Amino acid sequence: MAHLTKPTTYDIKDSNIALLGSDLEKRVREAAGDKESAWTDAGTAVGIQVWRIEQFKVVAWPKDKLGSFYDGDSYIVLNTYKKTPDAQTLSYDLHFWLGENTSQDEAGTAAYKTVELDDHLHGVPVQYREVQGFESTRFLSYFPHFVCRHGGVASGFHHVTAEPVQNVRKLYVIKLSKHNNHTSLVVRQVAATAESLVEGDVYVLEKGADVAWQFNTKTSPHQERYRAAEFADTLVSSPNHKKVFDEGDSGAGAFLAEFGKDTHVSPARAAPPAAAPPVVFRLSDAGGQVTFAPVESSASASLSAADAFLLDNSRDPAHPAIYVWIGSGASLAEQRLAPQYAQRYLHERLAAGEVRAHGAATSIVMMREGHESPAFVPVLKAWGGHA
């Protein structure tokens, strides 16, 4: 009997945009054919659309599962909106989301197909690479409940468990994400071990079938406690099947005992370091050869429409990102090379140890002149320039 083996797990540091001419691109093209039917209705109306990558195919994610993600998968998410209520044209945010256990094939396919959808929408979308655990607040704002669980469907491999479903314990940490005036509930499944319990957080333990226990650490925010109760309600058929424990109360020991004898809550993790100033590079082939050089900031600094630029904000501990800005007059070579230079630049910084905290999870955000990401403008101003 043949055994299915798990494909190579994707290394988040690997290239995921520079796919042109690669063996992976050839396999994706062969699997998808010349025309991607999944894009037929993509971006035709305001709203959120999600697709999951399955065996090199782009498969529409059910509407009733919007906001549910699995760490073994890769997804494409399209936000279609109008910048103003009276706008005559549609605008787009185009994200590909990579689970920490996704396969190399899935991650590469998601990146390639994102570029394909961008072409289908005539280059208007702002493109984002989203990495599990470090999603942009803009991405999280699309979903009232963002829930990330273990599992998924990988090429040639099915995630399974040897335990009966009723005996499987699942531990979730509850957070809130704020974007403008919108607050989203963010639920992430973590290892059901004592090491996962950290001061300042709220947890929900799914104790098999139809039983949920909520645990509030001493310094956890009250709003997170309230929203955690909402999530716990979705796991049980009756409120009588749910219990709430507060750290320090006499009954809390029953929850902690689920994770072993003498289990205690670990101290909160140290605050991330302060952000460093952004840095800008120009990519140009105006002189006949491609040059990639830093640009000094000044009160009158601006981005030239004739070239492409890379703005490195990867040392922002909250939302590390590298922005790729492509001018309206940029050459075809500059347009094609810009995201590849961004990926190579990030790799070199990682290899040199210059990007430490969350460096591998740095987002790469690509946009064209006139379709800038809202987050890009303040970062550009912090550098000292303007588009």
Side-chain angles (χ1 to χ4, degrees), residues 36-371:
E36 178 55 72
S37 60
W39 306 149
T40 302
D41 298 322
T44 57
V46 171
I48 304 296
Q49 293 171 279
V50 179
W51 299 267
R52 181 168 72 168
I53 304 302
E54 301 179 11
Q55 298 282 1
F56 296 103
K57 300 290 187 179
V58 179
V59 179
W61 195 235
K63 293 289 185 182
D64 61 357
K65 290 187 178 181
L66 290 184
S68 293
F69 292 78
Y70 290 91
D71 64 6
D73 291 329
S74 293
Y75 299 79
I76 296 172
V77 177
L78 177 66
N79 172 37
T80 304
Y81 68 100
K82 289 186 175 183
K83 290 186 176 180
T84 65
D86 299 328
Q88 298 299 307
T89 59
L90 295 172
S91 297
Y92 309 98
D93 292 313
L94 179 55
H95 309 249
F96 62 99
W97 183 90
L98 306 176
E100 62 181 10
N101 294 318
T102 191
S103 71
Q104 190 173 32
D105 287 345
E106 289 171 341
T109 301
Y112 172 77
K113 301 302 283 187
T114 297
V115 174
E116 183 182 85
L117 179 52
D118 179 79
D119 289 341
H120 178 76
L121 297 173
H122 310 293
V124 174
V126 175
Q127 288 185 44
Y128 300 79
R129 182 190 74 159
E130 303 284 353
V131 176
Q132 179 184 340
F134 303 94
E135 296 87 354
S136 64
T137 57
R138 188 174 188 84
F139 177 82
L140 295 173
S141 72
Y142 304 152
F143 313 104
H145 292 180
F146 173 88
V147 182
C148 184
R149 293 183 169 92
H150 296 330
V153 178
S155 301
F157 176 80
H158 296 278
H159 299 269
V160 298
T161 176
E163 298 181 74
V165 173
Q166 62 269 25
N167 294 329
V168 175
R169 299 185 314 153
K170 299 177 182 179
L171 182 65
Y172 303 93
V173 61
I174 312 299
K175 296 284 190 180
L176 295 181
S177 174
K178 295 183 179 180
H179 181 78
N180 296 332
N181 296 321
H182 180 86
T183 300
S184 297
L185 175 66
V186 179
V187 180
R188 301 187 191 278
Q189 187 178 351
V190 295
T193 62
E195 291 74 19
S196 294
L197 303 177
V198 178
E199 186 59 51
D201 289 334
V202 179
Y203 298 87
V204 171
L205 177 65
E206 188 175 5
K207 282 173 54 65
D210 206 25
V211 178
W213 285 8
Q214 177 177 335
F215 183 75
N216 306 319
T217 63
K218 288 181 180 179
T219 58
S220 58
H222 287 285
Q223 191 176 9
E224 289 185 0
R225 298 182 184 190
Y226 177 78
R227 298 296 298 275
E230 289 183 4
F231 173 69
D233 286 339
T234 68
L235 302 177
V236 296
S237 60
S238 167
N240 296 327
H241 297 171
K242 183 181 74 172
K243 291 184 179 181
V244 179
F245 302 87
D246 292 316
E247 183 186 5
D249 288 357
S250 58
F255 181 91
L256 295 174
E258 289 288 318
F259 303 91
K261 186 179 179 181
D262 298 325
T263 294
H264 62 276
V265 178
S266 300
R269 298 178 178 89
V279 181
V280 172
F281 296 81
R282 181 198 303 267
L283 177 69
S284 177
D285 62 358
Q289 292 184 328
V290 175
T291 59
F292 183 73
V295 180
E296 293 187 9
S297 64
S298 68
S300 60
S302 62
L303 306 184
S304 167
D307 296 315
F309 292 81
L310 182 155
L311 192 156
D312 175 15
N313 197 41
S314 61
R315 287 180 287 182
D316 180 340
H319 301 291
I322 290 178
Y323 297 94
V324 179
W325 185 89
I326 299 176
S328 59
S331 68
L332 181 59
E334 291 166 351
Q335 295 177 45
R336 291 291 183 93
L337 289 173
Q340 299 185 35
Y341 267 77
Q343 191 69 61
R344 189 177 74 178
Y345 171 81
L346 177 58
H347 287 182
E348 290 175 349
R349 294 204 63 205
L350 285 166
E354 297 173 355
V355 180
R356 292 183 174 84
H358 315 326
T362 298
S363 296
I364 294 179
V365 183
M366 188 172 75
M367 68 204 75
R368 298 178 187 275
E369 183 179 3
H371 301 282

